[in-house]
Amino acid sequence: MPHSSGGGSHSGGSHSGGSHSSYSSHSSGGGSSRSSRRTSSQPFPGAKRYVYYRDHKPYLIYSNYDIRKPDRSNLATIIVIGGMFGSFSLLGLILAFTAFSFPKRIEYSEYKKKDPEIIIEDNLGIFEDEDRLEDSMEEFYDVTGIVPAVITVSNSDWNEDYKSLEAYAYDVYVNRFPDEVHWLIVYSEDIKDNGFNDWYWEGMQGDRTDPVLTESRANKFNESLQTRLLQRDKYSVDEAIAATFDQYTPTMMGMIVDTGNLFAGLFMFMMMGGFAAMVVFTNKPRKVPDEYKNAIPCNLNAVYQESCNFCGGVYIIGIHTECPHCGGAIPPHHYVKDPQGNIIQIM
């Protein structure tokens, strides 16, 4: 069905048309957690004890995971969420690129087999040079394939039976142009007793004209035509319409930029791309602290320490055969162990 391409009036100005169709750091006093992974300097349920060495001293740490391995527990989350956001950002970029297009000339023969009829119907007898107007309208048709029609009427032809000139123009369109490739411009006026020219105009376009006569292009046309119609000392009505056709016909088949799609696509790309980067970089596995890399499980119930005879470094008795600091041989010790193999006394 046709829809308004916009219009204007002497006292109301112009108007637009209708719608187209982590790892926790170690500490001596407490613990910290990342998700369900936890380390602490104090025992807690489910934790295993590890010993690591720093500055020639042993440190005990309790953890519910192997502190010697990097945290990859959230790798699947990173892949899923990062992939989801990445896909949306890609869709946004594609949407932005689709905002640029070139219209295709409308082929009238696809809708009507006979030649198009360009209509100029001056019922008011106000046109001064219909030939010039016809030339401008024919040029517009040759370039775009849209068939223009211009009709003038009196305000009394519509203001008693229709709520607006738009409603009247719609009625005229559906009764005269069933092909949906016409662009009808209806101009109406009435000279008041005080000499004021109470004029109105309305455009009505078929749905098949939308790919070429976009809303933004129709709005620009409306603004220019409205300006010229206000300049009666310079333009007659037909001259104003012809000059506006001449102004916009050369650019009608140029590149169309759908600013809505462009900004929506770029916004989606930036937002989703930013979220994807944030998810990946804030959740990526962190490196194992150097002192944790050589940590040793320490399952002893009681922990006994002794200094190395070679370097003086302190080590835990019962889990080393060589000094963890200098590699020197550790002298044998005699232990008393419990049934589970834990040292309970050093002899």
Side-chain angles (χ1 to χ4, degrees), residues 104-117 141 144-147 179-182 208:
K104 180 182 177 182
R105 184 183 184 276
I106 299 170
E107 295 300 327
Y108 184 81
S109 60
E110 295 180 9
Y111 311 108
K112 299 290 283 185
K113 297 194 176 188
K114 64 180 183 178
D115 293 334
E117 181 182 5
Y141 164 74
T144 66
I146 298 173
V147 186
D179 49 53
E180 295 284 339
V181 296
H182 277 74
R208 293 191 176 104

Side-chain angles (χ1 to χ4, degrees), residues 204-220:
M204 192 64 55
Q205 65 183 101
D207 284 348
R208 293 191 176 104
T209 68
D210 289 355
V212 176
L213 186 58
T214 62
E215 186 174 354
S216 62
R217 288 179 171 174
N219 289 341
K220 291 178 181 178

Side-chain angles (χ1 to χ4, degrees), residues 14-290:
S14 64
H15 62 267
S16 301
S19 60
H20 289 243
S21 333
S22 79
Y23 278 99
S24 300
S25 60
H26 56 272
S27 67
S28 59
S32 61
S33 65
R34 179 173 181 254
S35 299
S36 60
R37 297 162 66 89
R38 180 184 174 190
T39 59
S40 174
S41 61
Q42 301 296 327
F44 62 88
K48 293 182 180 181
R49 184 168 58 183
Y50 294 83
V51 60
Y52 66 90
Y53 294 90
R54 185 180 66 196
D55 300 327
H56 290 78
K57 296 179 181 179
Y59 290 87
L60 296 173
I61 187 170
Y62 297 84
S63 173
N64 60 359
Y65 66 95
D66 192 338
I67 63 174
R68 300 167 297 181
K69 297 179 180 179
D71 178 7
R72 302 187 185 277
S73 62
N74 59 350
L75 184 59
T77 302
I78 294 174
I79 293 174
V80 172
I81 298 180
M84 180 178 66
F85 283 126
S87 298
F88 277 112
S89 64
L90 180 60
L91 287 175
L93 193 59
I94 293 173
L95 181 62
F97 276 115
T98 59
F100 301 91
S101 63
F102 287 90
K104 180 182 177 182
R105 184 183 184 276
I106 299 170
E107 295 300 327
Y108 184 81
S109 60
E110 295 180 9
Y111 311 108
K112 299 290 283 185
K113 297 194 176 188
K114 64 180 183 178
D115 293 334
E117 181 182 5
I118 295 176
I119 294 175
I120 299 176
E121 194 174 288
D122 181 19
N123 297 301
L124 299 177
I126 58 174
F127 288 173
E128 297 179 359
D129 190 348
E130 287 193 14
D131 290 339
R132 163 131 169 21
L133 176 58
E134 185 175 9
D135 289 342
S136 298
M137 294 168 66
E138 286 181 348
E139 179 66 19
F140 180 81
Y141 164 74
D142 291 340
V143 171
T144 66
I146 298 173
V147 186
V150 176
I151 298 176
T152 67
V153 297
S154 173
N155 291 351
S156 61
D157 290 331
W158 60 270
N159 59 12
E160 293 181 1
D161 298 323
Y162 296 87
K163 63 180 181 179
S164 64
L165 180 58
E166 178 182 343
Y168 174 79
Y170 178 88
D171 202 7
V172 172
Y173 193 105
V174 296
N175 282 283
R176 300 186 64 167
F177 311 120
D179 49 53
E180 295 284 339
V181 296
H182 277 74
W183 184 17
L184 170 66
I185 297 176
V186 178
Y187 173 86
S188 170
E189 70 174 34
D190 181 29
I191 307 298
K192 302 294 185 180
D193 292 339
N194 59 4
F196 178 76
N197 188 345
D198 186 23
W199 54 261
Y200 303 82
W201 68 275
E202 188 74 31
M204 192 64 55
Q205 65 183 101
D207 284 348
R208 293 191 176 104
T209 68
D210 289 355
V212 176
L213 186 58
T214 62
E215 186 174 354
S216 62
R217 288 179 171 174
N219 289 341
K220 291 178 181 178
F221 185 97
N222 297 341
E223 292 172 2
S224 295
L225 179 55
Q226 177 72 13
T227 299
R228 289 188 172 97
L229 288 173
L230 289 169
Q231 299 172 329
R232 291 303 172 90
D233 57 336
K234 185 176 180 180
Y235 298 99
S236 63
V237 175
D238 55 313
E239 287 174 333
I241 298 173
T244 308
F245 272 120
D246 292 343
Q247 178 183 357
Y248 288 103
T249 294
T251 60
M252 288 297 292
M253 304 307 290
M255 184 174 65
I256 295 175
V257 180
D258 187 332
T259 55
N261 280 358
L262 177 62
F263 289 124
L266 291 177
F267 178 78
M268 182 184 296
F269 172 74
M270 290 186 293
M271 291 296 293
M272 295 299 104
F275 279 126
M278 182 180 67
V279 168
V280 171
F281 285 106
T282 59
N283 292 279
K284 66 180 181 179
R286 295 182 181 179
K287 293 181 179 180
V288 177
D290 290 339

Side-chain angles (χ1 to χ4, degrees), residues 299-302 318-319 335-344:
N299 298 322
L300 304 173
N301 284 341
I319 59 176
Y335 315 108
V336 175
K337 297 183 177 181
D338 64 14
Q340 286 74 38
N342 296 308
I343 297 174
I344 59 174

